[in-house]
Amino acid sequence: MNKNSKKEQRKKRHRRVRAKIHGTKDKPRLCVFKSNKHIYAQIINDDKGFTLVFASDLEVKDSKKDEKINLAQKVGELIANRAKDEKITKVVFDRGGFKYHGRVKSLADEAKKHGLEF
């Protein structure tokens, strides 16, 4: 019996999620990707196929070491503020095949707190 790797399992989950979620001009898709070191978020219009807003923890890192969850919260705040500048208030959340807890959840909660509606 051949087991799938964690990466393949995540890609399968992401395909299932993406089959149901589609970002439009009025309600674009907030997509989250996390690696072991970093977390990235972007707001995408799938109709035209381009990114409207982008944020990552590489932009908010301080010289001192921050916990990953705190960095994810800062990215959530940053993406929400940039979305406000582009007059985006409603989005569809795409967790990217990751479980909705930890860094993904903290990013989403912070984005909600700063004005994005899911």
Side-chain angles (χ1 to χ4, degrees), residues 48-95:
K48 292 195 175 181
F50 63 85
T51 301
L52 305 170
V53 180
F54 173 82
S56 78
D57 66 347
L58 296 170
E59 301 170 67
V60 295
K61 267 197 172 175
D62 295 334
S63 58
K64 64 179 191 248
K65 242 185 161 133
D66 249 338
E67 286 186 16
K68 291 179 185 178
I69 288 191
N70 293 339
L71 287 173
Q73 289 173 341
K74 289 178 184 177
V75 171
E77 179 182 348
L78 184 63
I79 195 91
N81 291 335
R82 288 183 180 173
K84 264 191 230 171
D85 294 343
E86 295 288 325
K87 297 179 177 52
I88 299 169
T89 56
K90 294 185 178 186
V91 295
V92 179
F93 188 69
D94 176 9
R95 60 190 170 89

Side-chain angles (χ1 to χ4, degrees), residues 102-113:
R103 291 191 283 163
V104 175
K105 185 177 189 295
S106 65
L107 186 147
D109 290 344
E110 202 67 24
K112 282 180 190 175
K113 191 161 63 170

Side-chain angles (χ1 to χ4, degrees), residues 23-55:
T24 62
K25 179 185 171 200
D26 299 326
K27 204 169 184 182
R29 175 170 56 103
L30 171 59
C31 182
V32 175
F33 176 78
K34 66 176 186 148
S35 67
N36 286 335
K37 290 185 177 183
H38 303 290
I39 189 158
Y40 309 89
Q42 54 184 338
I43 297 180
I44 304 167
N45 178 352
D46 288 319
D47 289 339
K48 292 195 175 181
F50 63 85
T51 301
L52 305 170
V53 180
F54 173 82

